[in-house]
Amino acid sequence: MRWFGPQDPVSLQDIRQAGCTGVVTALHHIPVGDVWPVDEIRKRKKTIEAAGLTWTVIESLPVHENIKKHTGNCEELIENYKLSLRNVAAEGLKVVTYNFMPILDWLRTDTEYELDDGSKALYFERSAFVAFDLFLLKRPNAEKEYSKEEISRASSRFKMMTDAEKENLYRNALLGLPGSDEPFTADQILSALDTYKHIDAKRLKKHLFHFLQQVVPVAEGVGVKLAIHPDDPPYSVLGLPRVVSTEVDLKEIIDAAPSPANGLCFCTGSLGARPSNDLCGMMKRLGDHIHFLHLRNTKRDENGNFYEANHLEGDANMVQIVKETLLLMNRRGTAIPMRPDHGHQMLDDLKKKTYPGYSAIGRLKGLAELRGLELGISDSLQEQLN
C-alpha cells in the first residue's frame, strides 16, 4: 500500500496487518527539485523495516515544473534528479515512480461521493468540473473548450449549488496541487496556468523526452527502473496539455529513451477512465516495460463522469488484467510490484480524516479481493500447464 510517511493516519502496523509485505512511499518533506539526501532515504527505510515491511518502490520522486516547462534552472534541476536517483539506488531502492502532469497531479470534483451502501468514493463529475472552470475559477477563454451543451449543463448545475457546495467543489478541484492543504486563490491558479499558455502537447512531450534522455542513462547505470504514471484523468484539463494518456503516448515515451530502465507505472484506474484505452491489449503490447502496477477500477457514464468503483467491479475487466499480469510475470521471470489503489471510505474509517482515496479499510478490502483473485487465477493457470 501507499504510505504517506510518519504523519499518515494509516500506520505501518495497519498496513502490515492488511497483508502487505511492503509499502510505496516518498520523502514528501523534501521540497520538489531538491536532492534527496542519503541520510533521509536511509532513515525512512529503517523506519519501514523496523515495522516488518520493505520499501523498494518510490511514489513519487516529483518532477519540478521548470523541467516540465523547460525554463529557468531546468538543467540544474535535472542534475539534482540524477543525484537523487544515485542516492536512492545506493540505499537499495529499485523503482522510481513519477509523473509529468502540469501543475495538477490529479483531479476530482467530489472526494466524498456517497455510494448506495453508504461508503464514499472519489468522483469526477464533468458538469461540476466545467462549472468550476467557468464560474469559480473564471479561466479566460475557457468557454471555447466546451460545447454549448456542456456549458448549458454546467450553468444549470452551478445554479443548483449552495454556497457550501461551491466551496467544496473549489477545494476538491484543487486537491491535486502540491501543498494544497493551504488555500489557493483564483489569481494564484490562473497565474500558474498562464505559465503554460505557450506550451501545447507537442512541446510538453518534447520536454518530457529531453528529461528522459538525460536521466534514463543514469537510472540504467545504477540499476533503477523509472515508471511514469499516466495522466489522471487522461485528457486535457483547464487548458493544460496531457501527454501520458493513450497507448500511443506510452509507446512514444518508451521509444524516446530506449532502455530497460525506461518504463511505466501501469495504472488501470487512470488509463481506464478513457474509454478508448484497451487495458489488456496495452498490457500485452507494452508488458515488457511495466515496472509497477496500480490496480483500481472506475465506472464511467456517457456524460464523461466516473467514480472509483470496487476493485473487482467497474469498467476494467480486473479478472483479465490480473491474468495478464500473471502471464507477464511468468514470461519475464520476475515479480511486478503492485498495490491496490483508491479504496472506498467505509466502516469505522467514515469517522476518520484520511487522505482522499487512502483510508485503511477500503484498501484492505481491495487488497483482499485482488489477492484472492490472483491466487485463484494462479492455481488455474498451473493446472492448465500441468
Side-chain angles (χ1 to χ4, degrees):
M1 286 187 185
R2 191 173 188 180
W3 183 58
F4 289 96
Q7 305 306 314
D8 194 329
V10 180
S11 70
L12 289 172
Q13 186 180 44
D14 295 335
I15 291 173
R16 187 177 179 187
Q17 289 176 6
C20 294
T21 57
V23 297
V24 298
T25 191
L27 303 183
H28 298 286
H29 60 290
I30 304 295
V32 175
D34 285 7
V35 176
W36 281 20
V38 169
D39 287 349
E40 290 295 314
I41 301 165
R42 187 176 299 153
K43 179 181 176 182
R44 177 62 54 84
K45 189 176 181 185
K46 285 182 177 178
T47 298
I48 293 166
E49 291 176 346
L53 295 164
T54 60
W55 179 32
T56 58
V57 179
I58 291 170
E59 187 174 359
S60 297
L61 180 54
V63 179
H64 196 279
E65 291 298 314
N66 282 359
I67 295 177
K68 297 172 189 176
K69 293 183 288 187
H70 200 80
T71 190
N73 61 339
C74 169
E75 298 303 328
E76 177 187 344
L77 291 165
I78 291 176
E79 291 304 314
N80 285 355
Y81 206 95
K82 292 178 184 178
L83 184 51
S84 291
L85 291 176
R86 294 187 179 103
N87 289 348
V88 299
E91 291 304 308
L93 294 159
K94 300 299 184 184
V95 179
V96 174
T97 313
Y98 69 101
N99 75 66
F100 219 77
M101 289 179 266
I103 301 178
L104 288 161
D105 281 359
W106 57 277
L107 197 148
R108 298 292 187 273
T109 58
D110 190 350
T111 61
E112 297 183 342
Y113 178 64
E114 189 164 328
L115 301 172
D116 291 342
D117 62 4
S119 61
K120 294 180 179 179
L122 302 180
Y123 182 52
F124 180 84
E125 181 189 353
R126 179 71 177 178
S127 292
F129 170 70
V130 177
F132 160 78
D133 195 7
L134 295 176
F135 310 125
L136 291 176
L137 187 60
K138 299 180 181 178
R139 180 169 60 93
N141 301 313
E143 66 279 356
K144 294 180 180 179
E145 298 177 18
Y146 305 113
S147 67
K148 291 181 179 179
E149 293 77 12
E150 283 186 308
I151 294 173
S152 177
R153 285 196 295 267
S155 179
S156 299
R157 181 73 175 88
F158 191 70
K159 289 175 182 177
M160 294 170 57
M161 292 182 188
T162 65
D163 288 344
E165 288 171 335
K166 292 174 184 177
E167 184 178 340
N168 282 337
L169 172 61
Y170 186 89
R171 183 179 66 253
N172 290 336
L174 300 180
L175 270 177
L177 277 170
S180 58
D181 284 344
E182 298 294 327
F184 286 84
T185 67
D187 286 344
Q188 287 174 313
I189 303 306
L190 292 173
S191 177
L193 293 173
D194 192 58
T195 65
Y196 278 89
K197 65 181 178 181
H198 298 305
I199 300 177
D200 59 10
K202 183 177 180 180
R203 187 171 175 187
L204 181 64
K205 194 169 283 189
K206 181 180 179 181
H207 297 170
L208 171 57
F209 295 169
H210 172 75
F211 168 72
L212 288 173
Q213 287 156 7
Q214 299 299 309
V215 301
V216 165
V218 173
E220 182 174 352
V222 297
V224 166
K225 307 287 189 184
L226 292 169
I228 192 166
H229 189 285
D231 302 323
D232 188 5
Y235 42 77
S236 175
V237 293
L238 301 179
L240 294 168
R242 299 283 211 177
V243 296
V244 195
S245 297
T246 67
E247 183 172 354
V248 171
D249 291 336
L250 300 181
K251 183 69 165 60
E252 288 179 348
I253 289 165
I254 292 165
D255 291 343
S259 164
N262 181 22
L264 313 172
C265 169
F266 197 84
C267 178
T268 58
S270 296
L271 293 168
R274 188 178 181 113
S276 60
N277 281 334
D278 169 19
L279 298 180
C280 288
M282 292 166 75
M283 291 188 74
K284 291 178 187 293
R285 293 182 286 273
L286 303 174
D288 287 342
H289 307 280
I290 294 174
H291 300 322
F292 184 28
L293 275 166
H294 287 183
L295 296 183
R296 65 180 172 94
N297 222 325
T298 56
K299 185 65 179 177
R300 308 180 303 264
D301 68 21
E302 66 278 3
N303 294 318
N305 309 315
F306 64 87
Y307 67 89
E308 307 283 352
N310 286 312
H311 283 75
L312 303 188
E313 300 171 16
D315 294 306
N317 188 332
M318 199 58 69
V319 174
Q320 291 302 314
I321 288 169
V322 171
K323 181 178 180 180
E324 190 59 41
T325 299
L326 291 170
L327 292 171
L328 176 61
M329 291 193 297
N330 183 67
R331 179 170 60 79
R332 285 171 47 178
T334 186
I336 301 174
M338 175 279 293
R339 70 173 178 86
D341 202 4
H342 294 190
H344 292 166
Q345 191 175 8
M346 60 196 309
L347 303 175
D348 189 58
D349 280 341
L350 289 168
K351 306 170 188 174
K352 300 176 183 176
K353 179 175 175 56
T354 57
Y355 196 75
Y358 290 93
S359 54
I361 300 172
R363 287 187 293 161
L364 183 156
K365 177 175 180 282
L367 178 65
E369 292 173 339
L370 291 169
R371 289 178 70 190
L373 180 61
E374 179 184 5
L375 179 61
I377 295 174
S378 178
D379 283 354
S380 177
L381 288 175
Q382 281 298 117
E383 289 178 4
Q384 291 177 30
L385 291 174
N386 292 336

